[in-house]
Amino acid sequence: MADSLNSLLIEDTSFDGFSRTQLPLIMTNPHLEDNPIVYVNQAFTRQTGYARSAVIGRNCRFLQGENTEKAAVDLLRASIEAKESATVDLLNYRANGEPFMNRLVIAPIFDENEQVQYFMGVQQELRHGERSDTAEQINAQLIEVQDRVEADMSMIISMIRQQSNSTSVPAEYAALTRRIETLQLLYEEMKLSDMQSNRDSIHMGSYLSRLCCAIGHVYGRSGIRLNLQIDPLDIPIETASRVGLVVAELLTNAFQHAFDRIDTGLVEVRMTQLSAGGLRVTVSDDGVGIPNYMTWPDTTTVGGRMVNGLIEGLEGTLQLGRGAAGSFVTIDVPAGATLTR
C-alpha cells in the first residue's frame, strides 16, 4: 500500500497551481486497509492546514477530536459500510488544533459493474452563528457538486479500466489525479455560468484557455512555447467535460513526449466552430512526432483508453496527422453535442 500511495503523492503534488476550486474535496479507497485518503485538493489543505504529504494514506478520522460528536461519526461510518451517500456536520480540528464545524457530504463512486471503487467527499466550513437558510444553501451547493463529481468520476474510472482487467493501483491513482483537477476547473466555470443564469452551458473558450495554461505551467519547460487560438463558444456542460478531458490528455502527451532531446519547440491548441455547427479542436507540436509504426491512441495505456472512450461518447472523430516536423491531432465533435438543450 505504501508504494501505491507514494506513487499517487508524487503525481498529485505537481498540481499545486492547478486546482483552485473553493470546495475542499477528498477521495478515499475502501479497498485499502482502513479506507485511507488517496486524493485531496488544494482547497482541503487550505481549510485544514494539513499538507498533502501529511494526509495521503491516513483515514479521515485524524481530523476529529475530543469534542467531535460520536453520533455524527457513527452515522458517517454506517453510511460507508452501507455504501450510501450521507450528509453530516462534524466538529473537526485544523493542523494547529483550532476547531471548526464542517458540513461533509460523502458518496460512493461506482465502476461500470456497480462496484464501489472510492468514496468521495466535499465539505464546507459552517461559520459560528450562520443563519439556517445560509446553511441550507451550503447544503444544496455541496449536494450539487457531489452529484456532479460522482457522475464524472464514475465515467473516468470506467474508462481507465476499460479493456483492462489488470489495472494496477499505482497506475490507476496516477490516472485519476490529473483528471480530477481537469474537472475541477470545469466546476469553476459552471459556477460562473450559474451566476449568469446559464445553467446548461459554459464558456468553453474560457475553460479551455485556463486548462491549457495550467497544463503548460505544470509540464512546460524553458524553450517550449504554448500558443492558443480559441474561439469564444458556449457549449453544453456534458460536452465540455469530455472535450476538456481529451484536450488535457493530448496536451500533456505533447509536453511530455514531443520534445525529447529538443531544446525549443511549439505546442498549439486551436478550437473553432465548424460551419455546420459542430466543434473542431486541434492539438499540434513541431517536435519529434509520433513514429509511423506507432498506433495512436494506444489502447494498452490508460490515456489511450480514455481518449477513445471520450471520443466515442461524443460521437466524434479523431485523426492523427504527421507533418514535416511533429504531429497534430484533430478532434471533430458533431453539432448535436454542441447545442444547448
Side-chain angles (χ1 to χ4, degrees):
M1 183 180 76
D3 289 343
S4 302
L5 294 171
N6 286 339
S7 173
L8 170 68
L9 185 59
I10 292 170
E11 178 81 10
D12 191 35
T13 52
S14 65
F15 284 90
D16 283 345
F18 213 135
S19 170
R20 303 295 180 185
T21 187
Q22 295 299 308
L23 290 177
L25 184 150
I26 66 173
M27 292 185 68
T28 68
N29 188 336
H31 298 285
L32 297 178
E33 183 180 353
D34 205 25
N35 191 21
I37 296 172
V38 295
Y39 171 82
V40 297
N41 66 356
Q42 194 176 24
F44 177 91
T45 65
R46 289 197 303 267
Q47 182 194 63
T48 65
Y50 284 98
R52 283 171 170 165
S53 58
V55 302
I56 298 296
R58 301 175 66 182
N59 185 282
C60 299
R61 74 174 66 89
F62 74 90
L63 291 170
Q64 301 166 18
E66 59 180 356
N67 292 322
T68 302
E69 291 187 10
K70 183 177 182 299
V73 175
D74 290 343
L75 174 60
L76 189 62
R77 183 182 298 110
S79 300
I80 292 173
E81 291 177 354
K83 303 176 182 178
E84 296 175 346
S85 300
T87 301
V88 295
D89 291 347
L90 287 169
L91 183 66
N92 285 160
Y93 293 82
R94 305 187 212 277
N96 63 4
E98 177 188 356
F100 68 101
M101 185 59 70
N102 187 30
R103 175 155 293 174
L104 172 66
V105 178
I106 65 164
I109 304 295
F110 295 93
D111 64 12
E112 69 275 18
N113 298 317
E114 296 300 315
Q115 299 298 310
V116 175
Q117 298 302 319
Y118 299 93
F119 273 91
M120 177 271 302
V122 290
Q123 59 194 47
Q124 184 159 330
E125 181 176 352
L126 296 177
R127 305 291 182 181
H128 179 68
E130 204 151 36
R131 299 197 316 267
S132 60
D133 58 341
T134 302
E136 289 307 311
Q137 290 175 3
I138 290 173
N139 197 55
Q141 180 188 25
L142 287 173
I143 291 175
E144 182 177 356
V145 172
Q146 172 255 306
D147 287 343
R148 181 76 225 179
V149 177
E150 181 182 350
D152 287 336
M153 289 309 303
S154 294
M155 173 187 71
I156 291 174
I157 289 169
S158 295
M159 289 178 182
I160 289 173
R161 297 187 168 202
Q162 188 179 19
Q163 304 174 16
S164 174
N165 296 321
S166 60
T167 301
S168 67
V169 171
E172 184 172 322
Y173 285 169
L176 280 171
T177 301
R178 186 176 67 252
R179 285 74 176 186
I180 297 172
E181 306 287 1
T182 297
L183 290 169
Q184 287 180 197
L185 288 177
L186 173 67
Y187 303 146
E188 292 180 24
E189 293 297 332
M190 289 169 58
K191 183 177 180 180
L192 177 61
S193 294
D194 285 350
M195 293 170 59
Q196 298 174 344
S197 300
N198 185 10
R199 299 181 62 88
D200 297 323
S201 64
I202 69 164
H203 301 300
M204 189 63 190
S206 173
Y207 169 48
L208 205 59
S209 296
R210 293 181 63 210
L211 176 61
C212 292
C213 289
I215 292 175
H217 174 73
V218 172
Y219 291 105
R221 57 183 170 85
S222 178
I224 308 300
R225 294 174 292 136
L226 174 62
N227 183 45
L228 305 179
Q229 297 184 38
I230 297 176
D231 288 353
L233 302 175
D234 288 348
I235 68 173
I237 292 169
E238 293 294 335
T239 300
S241 66
R242 290 177 178 270
V243 171
L245 286 164
V246 171
V247 171
E249 297 299 319
L250 299 179
L251 189 56
T252 301
N253 186 70
F255 276 116
Q256 288 183 324
H257 303 294
F259 303 101
D260 186 29
R261 296 185 296 276
I262 297 178
D263 294 329
T264 60
L266 173 66
V267 180
E268 287 191 312
V269 179
R270 300 185 182 188
M271 183 183 74
T272 58
Q273 186 169 27
L274 301 175
S275 56
L279 180 70
R280 173 169 291 169
V281 179
T282 302
V283 179
S284 62
D285 67 78
D286 62 356
V288 297
I290 298 174
N292 290 324
Y293 63 81
M294 182 179 293
T295 301
W296 199 91
D298 181 0
T299 54
T300 65
T301 67
V302 169
R305 290 194 297 273
M306 280 199 59
V307 168
N308 271 352
L310 291 164
I311 296 296
E312 289 176 6
L314 289 165
E315 297 183 351
T317 61
L318 182 149
Q319 291 186 331
L320 169 64
R322 295 176 172 88
S327 306
F328 57 91
V329 178
T330 301
I331 306 156
D332 282 351
V333 179
T338 60
L339 296 176
T340 303
R341 293 167 177 80

